[in-house]
Every structure is written in structure tokens, then in C-alpha cells.
Amino acid sequence: MKIPKDRVRFNVGGRIFETTSTTLANAGRNSFFGALFSENWTLNQPNTDSFSNCEFFIDRNPDCFSVLLDLLRTGDLNIPPNVSERHIYREASFYGLLDHVRSAKWGQFDGNRLRHSSSVTGRAPGDGTAIRAGPDGGCCVAHGSVVHVYDWIMEEHPPLNLDYQRVNDVAWVDSENIIISACERLGRGDGGMGLFSKSTGELRYKFQVCHDNQVKSFTAGALSTSSDYKIFSSCKGRSNEYGVGVWDQVTGKQIDFLYESPGWSLGDADKLQWLNGSNCLLVATLFPRKDNCYISMLDFRDKRMVWSWSDFGAPITVDEKRVRDAIAMEDSNAICVVNEYEDLGFMDLRMNGGSVRWSSRSRMMKGKLSDEPCYPKLALHGGQLFSSMDDCISVFCGPDWVLTSRLRQGYGGSICDFSIGGDRLFALHSEENVFDVWETPPPPIS
């Protein structure tokens, strides 16, 4: 596009600033400054007799404007000591420049370049249930019956209190809405799932389970969402409603339910993971929730289990390897699992019911576990594999999943959960009510 080089003058809160239309065009069409241009990117100057009198007046903070104008000129964010970051974010929101500020503060996610950015101390007592990264760089943390929601500047929104119903899982639908799954409270018919506004805490609607054309109360467990606006949850009812339910994200209506077969476990699942490439759902029920581990792939188009594995009937050895988490890796047609020693194991999705190929190269810890262990968790992001163990997160890369880096902050005790999203990694600790924020530094300005 052709950008004119005209100078532009602003009077911001009584201070005069001069720049060019080229610099302003860096803000993008959807910004405050983009509205000053016509469709062919010609600046719409005010009607004045001469350029010397051509001036846009903005009744905003001039110190913040100076910082943001410099950001448009250089791509670098330099905040002087006399200006607070919160004011910069507020003014960036007004001018439509929040994405520019985010890009200047941290870069594209890379597990091997992550740096500890901050630690946030929560207000809820007790161990955390889960932490989930939001798509815009924020997160939410579940503690007991309360979910605390933070935006990308780590400012907390009004907490979501489920009135003594224990929260089992949390998932982001988009940057403004989250789903909460909770236990059924006997005698009240409460429980199940609800869609909540991130900003206000308003309950938008509840998701219901229908069995034999009757609405049933149920406990909702692990959650997952798909790119075609479906929501999945493991479900436990009082009679026969054990399985995985599917709801329409837009309407909140139940559209499917796959009941667990005898001798298997779906309703007690610890983890759900939707796979866009194969249109299947990974369902993992793990030790110690059950005495045995059950991992399966469900195809809701045919309403059947297309792949499964269990350690039921496997011999127990002295060096027992219990699966503590699992994650599907579509690109390599494999399921990765981890045990309490952070050994990684792999199973071939092309072979139903095969054995686990354990990799001792990944072992980071041997010996006795702590009195209150936090079992390892797995995540896959951008072709990198992440595994938590005690107070550390290990990063594995390459076709052989070689250990390439480790993340450790050293405050708050063992990591009970972590999550990646919005180009950030969030790690929730168990002994102290605190979570860490990890970011990749932005690339140097050339």
C-alpha cells in the first residue's frame, strides 16, 4: 500500500507532538489512528487554511501518548520511571494498541528461550486444582470452589464462586468466556458445567445432560473444546450417565453422549484432548484416580472407540511405572505418557493395545518421592514437549525428544499444574498459593 509522508500534529492534553502518517499507519486499520485514514490510506486532515494550523486534539495523558508514539516509531516499548505500566495499558486500550504492547513485551513462544517474568500470589487458601492459560495472555486458577481470573496484565477480575461446589476443571472458550466443571452437590441437583463471563463472572448458561429424555444431575470432570465450537466433558451421573458428553458451544445444547462400556472408564477421566487432524478425542483415566490406567481415542462420528490401551492385568514390578499423564502427538502418530519418575513413554497410535516404550534418557529424578508429591503433567506446544516434576518443568525437542532446557523458579514448592497459551507458560505451585509467569523475550529491534 502507498503511504503518504505528510507530517501530522497532535495536541494531547496540552502537549504538541509531530509525527508522520507512515508512523501512524503502523497502528493498523482497527486502531484509533487507523480511523484517521481513508480506505486508500490517505490521511483525513482537519479542515484548516494551512498545515501549521492542522492539528488533532486528544484529551488524554500526554506522557503515555509519548511512550505509545515511540512504540509505533521503533517497535520498542520504553516506559520511563514516572509512568506506570497500568496507565500505559489503559491508554493502549483506548488507542487500540494492546496487541502492539503485548508484542513488544514478549515474543513468539519458544520453550528453550523462556524467562521468568513474574510470580503472582493468590488470595484463596489451599492447594490449587488447575491453572489454564487464556488465548490473550491471561489465565484462570481454580482453588476449591473458587476460580480466579486474571487478564494479560495480571489484574484479577471478580472471582467466580460456586458456593462450595468443588471445581474439577476449567477451559477457555474464547478470550471472554470460560467453562467450569464442578461436582454434583447431593440434595441440591447442582453441579455439572456452566459458561461464565471472564470479566463479570455472570453465568451465561448451564449445560445439561439428558438421559431417556430426562434432565439428570451430574458431576462434570475433565474438559476440552474443538475448533468447530464443540465442548466435551467427562460425566458421572447417579445411575447410567457415565461417559463423555458433547455440547454446542454457541447454544449450550447437548448434541451427543458416548457411554462407557463395561470394564472401561470414561466418566472418571483425568484428561480430555481434542485432535483436530483426526477428529478424535483422547480420553485418559489415570492412577491414582483409578487402580488402573485407561487411555482411549473416541470418534464421535461413528460413536466408537478407535484406539485403546490399559495397564489392567499388567504384572507389577519393583520399579513400577504408573502412568500419571498422557498426551496425543498427532504429527508422530503417538501417545506420550509419563510416570512418577518423569520417564517418558510412547505408544504407537497405529497399533491398538500395544505396549509402552519407556525412554530412560528422560529420567530427571530417582528415589523416594516427597511426602506430598505433585505428579508430572505433560503439554505439547509448537513441536516442543513439556513435563513438570517437583518444582521444575523440562523441555524436550527433536524427533527423539531430547532434553534441551529446564525451567525452575524455586518458590512455592512443587508444581501441581501448568498450562501454555497466549505465548506464555503458567506454572501453579502447591505449597504456596502462587503461580509463575514465563515469557519468551521479544526479538531484538533491528
Side-chain angles (χ1 to χ4, degrees), residues 307-355:
W307 183 92
S308 62
W309 173 88
S310 175
D311 63 358
F312 180 79
I316 299 177
T317 63
V318 176
D319 188 17
E320 183 182 12
K321 293 182 171 66
R322 288 283 195 177
V323 172
R324 304 294 185 171
D325 200 7
I327 194 165
M329 311 167 80
E330 281 194 284
D331 292 343
S332 53
N333 289 311
I335 298 284
C336 177
V337 295
V338 65
N339 66 7
E340 59 262 46
Y341 302 106
E342 207 189 17
D343 289 328
L344 297 181
F346 299 89
M347 292 180 283
D348 194 333
L349 278 172
R350 295 165 295 187
M351 298 175 57
N352 202 357
S355 60

Side-chain angles (χ1 to χ4, degrees), residues 18-19 75 80 113 213 249 252 275 330 393 439-440 442:
E18 281 197 12
T19 185
R113 297 182 57 239
N213 296 320
Q249 174 183 316
L275 307 178
E330 281 194 284
I393 296 176
E439 302 168 354
T440 301

Side-chain angles (χ1 to χ4, degrees), residues 173 177-179 193-197 202-205 207 249:
V173 171
N177 297 283
I178 60 175
I179 315 163
M193 298 160 47
L195 181 74
F196 293 83
S197 165
E202 172 194 3
L203 174 63
R204 299 281 172 84
Y205 45 76
F207 300 91
Q249 174 183 316

Side-chain angles (χ1 to χ4, degrees), residues 150-439:
Y150 300 83
D151 59 23
W152 71 276
I153 63 174
M154 295 297 102
E155 186 174 275
E156 186 176 356
H157 292 282
L160 307 176
N161 195 322
L162 270 63
D163 191 22
Y164 303 105
Q165 294 169 246
R166 179 173 175 79
V167 175
N168 292 321
D169 201 0
V170 187
W172 290 84
V173 171
D174 51 42
S175 59
E176 291 299 324
N177 297 283
I178 60 175
I179 315 163
I180 299 176
S181 66
C183 293
E184 176 188 8
R185 192 150 50 127
L186 296 179
R188 290 285 302 271
D190 294 333
M193 298 160 47
L195 181 74
F196 293 83
S197 165
K198 173 195 78 172
S199 303
T200 65
E202 172 194 3
L203 174 63
R204 299 281 172 84
Y205 45 76
K206 290 187 67 175
F207 300 91
Q208 296 179 328
V209 166
C210 291
H211 179 68
D212 292 336
N213 296 320
Q214 291 185 342
V215 176
K216 300 287 186 176
S217 60
F218 68 104
T219 289
L223 296 168
S224 184
T225 60
S226 68
S227 57
D228 58 348
Y229 306 105
K230 291 185 178 68
I231 297 170
F232 303 86
S233 176
S234 57
C235 301
K236 294 191 299 181
R238 297 184 189 177
S239 53
N240 193 34
E241 309 86 43
Y242 278 69
V244 176
V246 189
W247 290 265
D248 186 290
Q249 174 183 316
V250 178
T251 65
K253 302 297 183 182
Q254 180 185 337
I255 56 179
D256 210 342
F257 198 98
L258 203 157
Y259 295 93
E260 68 180 36
S261 57
W264 203 254
S265 178
L266 298 177
D268 273 317
D270 295 86
K271 187 170 192 174
L272 302 184
Q273 178 192 355
W274 176 254
L275 307 178
N276 286 315
S278 59
N279 284 309
C280 289
L281 183 73
L282 168 77
V283 183
T285 306
L286 308 166
F287 182 85
R289 185 183 298 272
K290 290 281 191 177
D291 291 337
N292 296 99
C293 302
Y294 303 86
I295 303 175
S296 50
M297 299 284 289
L298 307 182
D299 189 336
F300 282 87
R301 293 167 297 185
D302 300 328
K303 296 196 71 170
R304 66 188 183 96
M305 191 182 301
V306 296
W307 183 92
S308 62
W309 173 88
S310 175
D311 63 358
F312 180 79
I316 299 177
T317 63
V318 176
D319 188 17
E320 183 182 12
K321 293 182 171 66
R322 288 283 195 177
V323 172
R324 304 294 185 171
D325 200 7
I327 194 165
M329 311 167 80
E330 281 194 284
D331 292 343
S332 53
N333 289 311
I335 298 284
C336 177
V337 295
V338 65
N339 66 7
E340 59 262 46
Y341 302 106
E342 207 189 17
D343 289 328
L344 297 181
F346 299 89
M347 292 180 283
D348 194 333
L349 278 172
R350 295 165 295 187
M351 298 175 57
N352 202 357
S355 60
V356 180
R357 176 174 56 85
W358 291 102
S359 173
S360 60
R361 291 170 299 174
S362 66
R363 177 165 291 193
M364 304 302 303
M365 185 273 281
K366 294 183 180 181
K368 184 180 177 181
L369 296 176
S370 60
D371 293 336
E372 296 183 1
C374 286
Y375 297 120
K377 297 291 181 71
L378 294 171
L380 188 68
H381 190 90
Q384 297 175 321
L385 180 64
F386 299 79
S387 174
S388 64
M389 187 69 196
D390 289 339
D391 61 348
C392 175
I393 296 176
S394 302
V395 185
F396 304 89
C397 298
D400 296 326
W401 302 111
V402 176
L403 175 66
T404 54
S405 60
R406 301 174 71 183
L407 313 175
R408 173 181 281 136
Q409 173 57 19
Y411 170 67
S414 298
I415 294 172
C416 60
D417 196 18
F418 72 97
S419 180
I420 302 171
D423 283 324
R424 278 174 160 172
L425 183 148
F426 298 90
L428 178 64
H429 294 270
S430 63
E431 295 177 16
E432 300 288 344
N433 185 11
V434 61
F435 65 87
D436 300 325
V437 185
W438 295 80
E439 302 168 354

